[in-house]
Amino acid sequence: RMEKIYIHIAYQTPSIMQIFSILVLLLPSISAFVPSNIARSPTSVALFSAATIAEAKADLKTNPKTFFMDVRELSEWAEGHFAGAAPYPLSRLTSGKWMNPKDGVFSAGSFPIDNATGVAILPKKRIYIHSQKGGRAKQAGDLFITMGYKNIVVFEETFEELAAAGISEVVVGEMRPGQAYVRDDAKF
């Protein structure tokens, strides 16, 4: 009987190494239950660049390495979009999972893909983002800042205000399935 008690007590007091091993195994599982809508970076707004529409228009026209994203849904994009803006619906950007290489934590979201190359847009590239009223553009900007992008410009102006300011020609039409968007710099 004494031997059974000793064994029972030995299993009740695990070593520091056993506790560490258990934690290492459980942490990825625990993080899967964290809601994906929690704001992870409350100061990310400060990282957005400020640019006037005229500055953005000039940058988009002269710098082919900038990206102009429309984060509205494809049905909205088909009703009218800027000729220089590529469709990146927020629902698509937030649907996947990505892993932060610094800490190994998985989070909701998908890296934006450069349609010309088929690979993720590099974090050092300047990305201009717009939506119908600015809310979804800010959500996309927050996501990109969390992913490590540092050169994000989110337009607070509505689609109509940007169109009135002449940031780019407005065109109508939808993309065909499998069609890759190719930017036409002549339409800026």
Side-chain angles (χ1 to χ4, degrees), residues 41 43-51 59 65-67 69 98 100-102 111-112 121-129 140-154:
S41 180
T43 59
S44 63
V45 176
L47 297 175
F48 292 142
S49 300
D59 191 26
K65 296 188 182 211
T66 58
F67 293 89
M69 293 184 176
W98 67 281
N100 186 333
K102 293 180 183 172
F111 285 99
I121 296 172
L122 296 175
K124 63 184 177 182
K125 302 287 184 182
R126 178 168 279 207
I127 302 174
Y128 291 94
I129 308 171
D142 282 336
L143 174 64
F144 295 156
I145 294 293
T146 303
M147 291 177 160
Y149 288 83
K150 306 239 184 287
N151 206 350
I152 303 294
V153 178
V154 174

Side-chain angles (χ1 to χ4, degrees), residues 26-41:
L26 288 178
L27 282 178
S29 301
I30 293 169
S31 67
F33 295 102
V34 175
S36 62
N37 61 353
I38 293 178
R40 287 179 166 65
S41 180

